């Protein structure tokens, strides 16, 4: 797949090896191969361009899960979350390039520096946040060198020292680098390395401001990254039913958290979650139809804000972000399989049709 043209629209879904969400307690085996296959194929059949495979300290390895997804699909791209610093960058470069070759160029990396000290400590990482981002910068330097160098190279950084590094296996084209993080240390790395900068589902004002800062960080490097926005669309046949469903999802989230004995979320360590909570503090319904109550309930632990309405209404709300420069939309539902099917049937076609009408072309169809 390589790098997308600047104006190309991209939809990314979310595939996990078993059913789990804010309203569904994890059940069954840790890796449910049948569910994984159904969820991956639902995204491919629905017209998604990629799927995200997430990384946590206690869950199955995302690179291997992505390999299984590739084996049961034909076209869909793989956005593989990778925690930088746990695997030597030259080894990781060969792993990603190998999978890219085996899948015919379907691989992308989502570089994760880590925003939760407790989770990172489970794997023995005790660097500070700024140190982790500095390490990520060096890690991505070495990925690109490994993927592109025609001759052996040396590299001397604060975190990595490589002598005579080289990879025989290269990617099919260019493996895209997705990257998120809103702290000053994160933006410095994003400016140098992000092909697509990933934001969570913030307000229009917040997104406009952060896009401006990322562009300013990238400009000295002669770079112009794409922008991705992560949201949890809640759809129904009418607006009234969609908001009723949103309220039900909030109530079920509260019940499940209470049943699991989860205490009210502490102040998050990462800047992205803090930004979502700042939005939630302004109210549960913002802009046209941004629903922040679930982010407030969970402490904005990840992608947790929603757009609520009919497919056409949510598509119209997405268009406001498109007008700010967002071209990639990472969407996943609270009912993961059912929502992926609904997005493919209604939301993706509705949004692409709106963009085509806006631009007066058939480019998005």
């Amino acid at each position: 797949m390589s790098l997308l043209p600047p104006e190309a629209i991209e939809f990314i879904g979310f595939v996990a090896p078993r059913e789990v969400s804010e309203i569904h307690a994890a059940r069954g085996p840790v890796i449910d191969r049948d569910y994984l296959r159904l969820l991956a194929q639902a995204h491919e059949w629905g017209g998604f361009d990629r799927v995200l495979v997430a990384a946590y300290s206690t869950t199955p390895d995302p690179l291997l899960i992505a390999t299984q997804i590739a084996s049961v699909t034909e076209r869909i791209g793989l956005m593989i979350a990778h925690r930088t610093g746990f695997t030597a960058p030259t080894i990781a470069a060969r792993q990603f390039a190998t999978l890219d070759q085996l899948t015919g160029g379907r691989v992308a990396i989502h570089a994760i520096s880590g925003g939760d000290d407790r989770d990172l400590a489970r794997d023995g990482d005790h660097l500070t946040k700024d140190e982790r981002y500095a390490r990520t910068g060096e890690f991505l330097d070495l990925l690109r060198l490994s993927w592109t160098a025609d001759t052996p190279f040396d590299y001397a950084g604060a975190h990595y020292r490589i002598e005579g590094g080289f990879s025989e296996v290269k990617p099919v084209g260019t493996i895209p680098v997705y990257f998120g993080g809103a702290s000053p240390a994160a933006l410095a790395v994003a400016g140098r390395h992000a092909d697509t900068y990933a934001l969570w589902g913030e307000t229009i004002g917040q997104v406009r401001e952060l896009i401006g800062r990322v562009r300013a960080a990238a400009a000295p490097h002669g770079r112009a990254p794409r922008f991705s926005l992560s949201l949890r669309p809640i759809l129904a046949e009418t607006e009234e039913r969609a908001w009723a469903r949103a309220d039900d999802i909030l109530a079920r989230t509260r019940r499940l958290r209470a049943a699991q004995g989860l205490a009210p979320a502490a102040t998050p360590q990462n800047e992205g979650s803090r930004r979502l909570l700042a939005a939630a503090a302004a109210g549960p319904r913002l802009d046209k139809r941004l629903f922040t109550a679930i982010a407030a309930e969970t402490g904005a632990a990840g992608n947790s804000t929603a757009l609520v309405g009919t497919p056409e209404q949510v598509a119209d709300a997405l268009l406001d972000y498109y007008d700010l420069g967002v071209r990639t939309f990472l969407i996943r539902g609270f009912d993961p399989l059912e929502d992926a099917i609904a997005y493919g049937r209604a939301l993706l076609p509705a949004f692409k049709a709106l963009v085509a009408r806006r631009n007066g072309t058939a480019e998005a169809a």
Side-chain angles (χ1 to χ4, degrees):
M1 287 186 177
S2 296
L3 299 182
L4 287 172
E7 291 303 310
I9 294 171
E10 180 182 44
F11 275 98
I12 300 177
F14 182 87
V15 171
R18 63 173 169 177
E19 184 181 34
V20 62
S21 77
E22 291 84 350
I23 63 174
H24 293 287
R27 61 181 181 179
V30 173
I31 298 177
D32 183 335
R33 293 176 62 193
D34 289 337
Y35 179 80
L36 177 63
R37 172 179 52 81
L38 285 172
L39 190 55
Q41 291 176 347
H43 283 86
E44 181 159 83
W45 296 336
F48 282 80
D49 301 286
R50 292 192 185 276
V51 289
L52 169 64
V53 185
Y56 301 97
S57 64
T58 59
T59 56
D61 181 81
L63 195 67
L64 296 178
I65 293 295
T67 302
Q68 177 65 12
I69 292 170
S71 76
V72 297
T73 56
E74 297 178 357
R75 171 197 57 81
I76 200 160
L78 306 163
M79 178 183 174
I80 305 167
H82 183 83
R83 285 189 165 175
T84 56
F86 293 91
T87 303
T90 50
I91 295 173
R94 296 196 298 274
Q95 290 173 329
F96 276 86
T98 299
L99 185 57
D100 198 54
Q101 285 286 343
L102 292 173
T103 60
R106 294 160 66 182
V107 168
I109 183 171
H110 185 29
I112 305 293
S113 301
D116 186 335
D117 291 345
R118 295 161 297 184
D119 196 49
L120 293 163
R122 296 186 183 107
D123 281 327
D125 188 9
H126 299 279
L127 296 184
T128 67
K129 182 169 70 172
D130 285 359
E131 288 171 337
R132 291 196 297 268
Y133 278 115
R135 180 178 63 187
T136 294
E138 294 184 13
F139 185 96
L140 294 174
D141 283 341
L142 285 162
L143 284 192
R144 295 192 190 280
L145 278 170
S146 297
W147 290 337
T148 60
D150 295 325
T151 57
F153 59 85
D154 297 338
Y155 184 94
H159 297 276
Y160 299 107
R161 181 177 175 181
I162 302 296
E163 297 178 1
F166 184 72
S167 175
E168 293 181 1
V169 59
K170 308 295 186 187
V172 172
T174 300
I175 293 180
V177 173
Y178 293 73
F179 183 89
S183 68
L187 293 182
V189 178
R192 284 175 45 218
H193 287 292
D195 296 312
T196 297
Y197 178 84
L199 304 94
W200 281 342
E202 302 178 355
T203 66
I204 293 295
Q206 287 177 308
V207 170
R208 180 186 295 111
E209 180 268 339
L210 188 49
I211 284 178
R213 285 201 284 144
V214 174
R215 284 175 171 159
H221 304 283
R223 309 187 73 252
R226 290 171 53 89
F227 292 94
S228 170
L229 189 76
S230 298
L231 287 158
R232 311 287 292 275
I234 298 174
L235 307 180
E237 301 83 3
T238 67
E239 183 173 13
E240 182 180 10
R241 289 182 180 179
W243 282 111
R245 185 182 173 214
D247 290 337
D248 179 64
I249 289 171
L250 176 60
R252 292 171 66 186
T253 298
R254 287 171 173 162
R255 289 197 297 270
L256 182 56
R257 289 179 64 82
Q260 293 174 333
L262 296 176
T267 301
Q269 296 177 346
N270 70 83
E271 185 64 20
S273 292
R274 291 173 184 160
R275 289 173 64 89
L276 286 190
L277 291 180
R285 300 186 185 187
L286 303 174
D287 294 336
K288 285 180 178 176
R289 50 192 67 259
L290 183 67
F291 186 51
T292 66
I294 296 168
E297 180 66 27
T298 61
N303 175 15
S304 49
T305 52
L307 292 178
V308 181
T310 67
E312 294 75 19
Q313 289 172 328
V314 171
D316 177 69
L318 289 176
L319 195 62
D320 292 339
Y321 294 105
Y322 175 90
D323 289 340
L324 297 179
V326 175
R327 294 295 181 269
T328 292
F329 297 91
L330 197 163
I331 56 174
R332 63 185 176 106
F334 294 95
D335 291 302
L337 179 58
E338 296 83 353
D339 285 337
I341 294 170
Y343 298 157
R345 285 177 174 169
L347 180 56
L348 272 62
F351 178 73
K352 291 177 181 179
L354 273 181
V355 171
R357 287 199 296 270
R358 166 68 59 85
N359 294 337
T361 69
E363 69 180 43

